[in-house]
Amino acid sequence: MLPKFDPTNPIAAMSLLEDVTTNVKKIQDSVLEAILSRNAQTEYLRGFLNGQLDKQSFKKNLPVVTYEDIKPYIDRIANGESSDLICDRPISLLLATTGTSGGVPKLIPLTAEDLEQRILFGFLYAPLVFKHIEGLTQGKSLMFYFVTRESETASGLMVRFMITCVLKSVNPTNSFLWDRVQISPHTIATCEDTNQGMYCQLLCGLLQREYVARLGAPYASSFLKVIKFFEDHWNELCSNIRTGRLSDWITDPQCVLGISKFLTAPNPELASLIEKECSKTSWEGILRRLWPNAKCIEAVVTGTMAQYIPLLEFYGGGLPLISSWYGSSECFIGINLNPLCKPSDVSYTIITSMGYFEFIEVVKDHQEAGHVTSDPVVVDLVDVKIGHDYELLVTTFSGLYRYRLGDVLRVTGFHNNAPQFYFVGRQKVVLSIDLSKTYEEDLLKAVRNASLLLEPHDLMLMDFTSRVDLSSLPGHYVLYWELGSKFKNAKLQPDRKVLEECCFTVEEALDSVYRKGRKNDKIIGPLEIKIVKPGAFDDLMSLFLSRGSSVSQYKTPRSVTNEDALKILETNVVSKFLSRKTPSWELHELHSSR
């Protein structure tokens, strides 16, 4: 585990960072030893290890598992049984995942000690950003956070999202750390009404615009949600600033109290300045124009979030995009040691004390040759190889053992002795017809290629998802695209030829099994793009939020099967386009690997 250090001392943090990336094997072995010795008497480990706590027995006898394998144990704890089913320390709460990937939120056990470790993890990477970006210390951060209303299990065990846990860990003894770096008061960030909290955080940022040195949110998608909300409310925000009076619909006591410290008098000059910028024909560079002293935008922009990079660059007007860390509800994992690198080049360095990490080597299916890897090779952290892809396994202090996270990472290098990974995506087939399997990574790349065709027409891809349509034969892939314009009030009338070419470009980027099914075997129909009304993906998000997802952690699902989600998309379709050309395929591709 991370040793405790003074979070206000950047030298201590940097020294610790060097240690955990240098003594990698020693730290990993000691982490595993500590986890096994602590939890030796749990029902789960006794059933597999029978008191044999050495590393060899762990690897030989403990199975690699998915969430479904451990769900019965978590359900028993949720229903009131003791935490020592899986962990020697009390499970203080269950973390809910967003549920947008698999449809139903997972519940991940977390101890108080593990939560403290994750908060320390944040202080570990903070000095890196200050070191690389000049001027950050001269202002504060306008980072948008939102809590989600918590719930309880039948036995009274708390269920929260990770962001909510971190926000609610701020208390009178440590609140000075929040006040030192954040523009918005903690009382506003912890408002449970998302719209009121978002509005008041924006109002705080505008009233203190000269002091904002950093903008952002946990994920690119949640930051874009804020920008969209700002587009819809800037007139009202200007009115509040001009009159010095808060809108009547802001009634949450925390928001009213928090904003009262800043909205103290009319400021017509500031209101007019904001109004002038927001009224311009294009919102390109709006963030830099409104917050002239901002040095960067901080948000996760890797994996499925990479799709939003062009939008952030459009609104940011050249502000660097910083993707600082990599983690999940199950475990916090890595830090970006080079914050100013291109978003497409981000690699995360594994922090070896956060858990015990193993890796399953991923060999893309040789679908053409019919080859399937049935016995995956599992290697230790110190044995990964540059250029290879791996699925991550985590063993944690909170009761997860050899747990498949589902993320695919590519080794790009090493910092000291700790490997650095590029986040490839989820190890998940998102679309499939017959023998064709399209992985999330491949779909994202294909859509990214196609969306480039929109740029000469001043159009932007705001969001997308997909499904397989088997209502007619042959079945075919359907993409739902929401488009936006670079200019305000412009009509979204995409040229048919451009969208048909987008369909073809997506198909050309998919693998040879798909293209063979389209061209030769004719078992896959032409790919279809359906354009949906602006706001359709907001409605999709609202559906998932109504079912317990979190604004801060929401990720648009890249494929949908849920009937209610499909109904929202289909009712918002305004135009349809089919690929008019057949993708290329050559016989020699039959034996080439993906």
Side-chain angles (χ1 to χ4, degrees):
M1 304 188 81
L2 280 173
K4 289 186 178 181
F5 63 95
D6 181 359
T8 65
N9 184 350
I11 296 176
M14 297 300 287
S15 175
L16 179 57
L17 189 58
E18 284 300 293
D19 180 57
V20 297
T21 57
T22 300
N23 302 308
V24 172
K25 187 177 188 308
K26 178 183 176 182
I27 291 173
Q28 278 285 278
D29 287 345
S30 65
V31 166
L32 179 61
E33 182 181 356
I35 291 173
L36 295 181
S37 60
R38 276 190 186 189
N39 301 311
Q41 298 307 311
T42 60
E43 179 180 315
Y44 187 85
L45 286 187
R46 284 203 319 270
F48 292 109
L49 297 181
N50 197 27
Q52 297 176 302
L53 304 181
D54 58 284
K55 183 175 177 179
Q56 185 176 356
S57 297
F58 167 82
K59 288 182 170 290
K60 179 181 178 182
N61 298 320
L62 219 62
V64 172
V65 299
T66 64
Y67 181 74
E68 292 306 314
D69 297 315
I70 62 166
K71 185 176 182 295
Y73 292 90
I74 295 173
D75 287 345
R76 288 167 63 186
I77 293 171
N79 289 324
E81 291 194 48
S82 172
S83 299
D84 65 13
L85 288 172
I86 58 173
C87 183
D88 77 319
R89 307 291 164 97
I91 302 298
S92 57
L93 55 87
L94 296 173
L95 288 176
T97 65
T98 58
T100 53
S101 295
V104 178
K106 301 171 185 174
L107 298 179
I108 305 300
L110 186 73
T111 64
E113 180 184 44
D114 206 348
L115 175 58
E116 184 180 342
Q117 284 286 297
R118 297 183 186 202
I119 293 169
L120 281 175
F121 177 96
F123 289 114
L124 192 61
Y125 76 74
L128 282 166
V129 181
F130 289 110
K131 176 184 174 183
H132 285 83
I133 303 175
E134 188 177 349
L136 275 187
T137 55
Q138 296 169 15
K140 293 187 176 184
S141 297
L142 179 56
M143 299 290 291
F144 292 88
Y145 297 109
F146 310 100
V147 301
T148 303
R149 188 170 285 110
E150 55 208 21
S151 59
E152 292 184 353
T153 67
S155 66
L157 192 59
M158 192 72 68
V159 178
R160 285 178 174 170
F161 286 92
M162 189 64 235
I163 298 295
T164 300
C165 281
V166 173
L167 290 173
K168 294 207 170 184
S169 69
V170 176
N171 57 57
T173 65
N174 60 21
S175 61
F176 71 95
L177 293 171
W178 176 280
D179 296 334
R180 178 183 293 179
V181 297
Q182 298 293 342
I183 283 283
S184 298
H186 182 254
T187 53
I188 293 178
T190 50
C191 168
E192 291 188 351
D193 186 307
T194 299
N195 285 338
Q196 292 192 52
M198 196 179 305
Y199 187 91
C200 289
Q201 288 183 66
L202 278 165
L203 191 51
C204 280
L206 291 168
L207 288 166
Q208 303 172 83
R209 63 187 290 268
E210 298 292 340
Y211 301 101
V212 173
R214 171 168 42 179
L215 296 155
Y219 292 95
S221 56
S222 50
F223 189 53
L224 287 168
K225 170 77 173 174
V226 172
I227 294 173
K228 176 64 168 62
F229 183 89
F230 183 39
E231 284 189 270
D232 295 338
H233 291 84
W234 66 264
N235 261 316
E236 185 179 355
L237 287 159
C238 286
S239 175
N240 289 180
I241 294 169
R242 179 172 284 107
T243 62
R245 185 174 180 275
L246 188 62
S247 293
D248 291 339
W249 65 277
I250 305 296
T251 57
D252 182 271
Q254 291 183 215
C255 286
V256 173
L257 175 64
I259 203 68
S260 65
K261 300 174 184 178
F262 306 100
L263 189 64
T264 56
N267 192 339
E269 184 180 348
L270 175 59
S272 296
L273 185 152
I274 296 167
E275 191 173 58
K276 178 182 176 183
E277 294 298 338
C278 293
S279 298
K280 289 182 177 177
T281 307
S282 174
W283 268 38
E284 185 171 4
I286 188 69
L287 300 178
R288 175 160 259 174
R289 287 188 269 130
L290 288 177
W291 289 282
N293 296 318
K295 310 299 181 187
C296 65
I297 297 170
E298 185 173 349
V300 172
V301 293
T302 50
T304 187
M305 293 293 132
Q307 183 227 316
Y308 303 115
I309 291 172
L311 290 175
L312 291 178
E313 290 176 336
F314 174 79
Y315 291 116
L319 286 174
L321 302 181
I322 308 299
S323 195
S324 295
W325 63 283
Y326 160 54
S328 65
S329 300
E330 292 85 352
C331 188
F332 281 17
I333 297 158
I335 290 173
N336 177 11
L337 299 183
N338 183 17
L340 286 174
C341 68
K342 292 180 180 179
S344 57
D345 295 336
V346 170
S347 287
Y348 300 104
T349 301
I350 299 288
I351 303 304
T352 54
S353 54
M354 294 303 294
Y356 183 70
F357 303 111
E358 298 174 276
F359 300 85
I360 298 176
E361 183 150 12
V362 175
V363 180
K364 287 269 193 172
D365 293 342
H366 295 270
Q367 298 185 77
E368 297 85 347
H371 174 75
V372 177
T373 303
S374 58
D375 187 19
V377 177
V378 180
V379 299
D380 283 345
L381 181 72
V382 295
D383 296 321
V384 297
K385 297 177 181 178
I386 293 176
H388 289 226
D389 288 1
Y390 299 91
E391 182 185 351
L392 180 60
L393 306 180
V394 296
T395 296
T396 72
F397 286 93
S398 290
L400 300 179
Y401 306 96
R402 309 197 86 188
Y403 177 91
R404 297 182 79 148
L405 206 58
D407 292 348
V408 177
L409 309 175
R410 180 170 300 141
V411 185
T412 57
F414 289 82
H415 175 75
N416 296 327
N417 297 314
Q420 297 177 303
F421 293 91
Y422 168 78
F423 185 91
V424 175
R426 300 286 293 171
Q427 175 70 345
K428 178 184 178 184
V429 174
V430 290
L431 297 170
S432 179
I433 295 177
D434 199 71
L435 295 177
S436 173
K437 298 176 183 178
T438 298
Y439 289 84
E440 183 179 85
E441 172 199 5
D442 301 323
L443 180 62
L444 288 169
K445 284 182 180 178
V447 170
R448 202 150 49 233
N449 289 345
S451 66
L452 295 176
L453 301 176
L454 301 173
E455 290 186 5
H457 305 276
D458 295 323
L459 294 174
M460 302 181 293
L461 178 61
M462 308 302 288
D463 218 333
F464 87 93
T465 189
S466 64
R467 73 177 176 103
V468 173
D469 185 348
L470 298 175
S471 62
S472 59
L473 294 177
H476 68 286
Y477 289 179
V478 178
L479 304 182
Y480 296 92
W481 283 17
E482 182 176 324
L483 301 181
S485 174
K486 294 182 179 181
F487 297 98
K488 291 175 66 176
N489 302 319
K491 291 184 178 180
L492 294 174
Q493 294 180 329
D495 182 88
R496 175 166 293 277
K497 290 182 179 179
V498 173
L499 267 296
E500 289 175 357
E501 190 64 25
C502 287
C503 294
F504 175 70
T505 301
V506 172
E507 291 196 300
E508 276 284 278
L510 299 179
D511 68 20
S512 59
V513 176
Y514 174 90
R515 287 180 281 115
K516 180 175 181 290
R518 272 278 285 123
K519 182 175 182 178
N520 285 50
D521 302 337
K522 303 190 186 307
I523 56 174
I524 300 174
L527 183 139
E528 183 178 18
I529 291 177
K530 294 186 177 182
I531 305 299
V532 296
K533 296 175 186 175
F537 279 84
D538 288 338
D539 294 343
L540 187 65
M541 180 180 182
S542 296
L543 172 69
F544 285 105
L545 294 182
S546 72
R547 297 180 176 183
S549 192
S550 158
V551 173
S552 290
Q553 296 173 226
Y554 175 79
K555 305 177 188 75
T556 299
R558 292 307 167 209
S559 64
V560 289
T561 55
N562 178 278
E563 288 187 9
D564 292 332
L566 287 172
K567 184 178 180 180
I568 288 172
L569 293 166
E570 285 294 331
T571 55
N572 280 283
V573 171
V574 293
S575 54
K576 306 175 185 180
F577 305 90
L578 283 170
S579 181
R580 298 296 177 187
K581 295 188 285 187
T582 305
S584 60
W585 180 80
E586 300 296 337
L587 184 62
H588 68 81
E589 294 184 88
L590 182 64
H591 300 292
S592 63
S593 62
R594 295 180 60 222

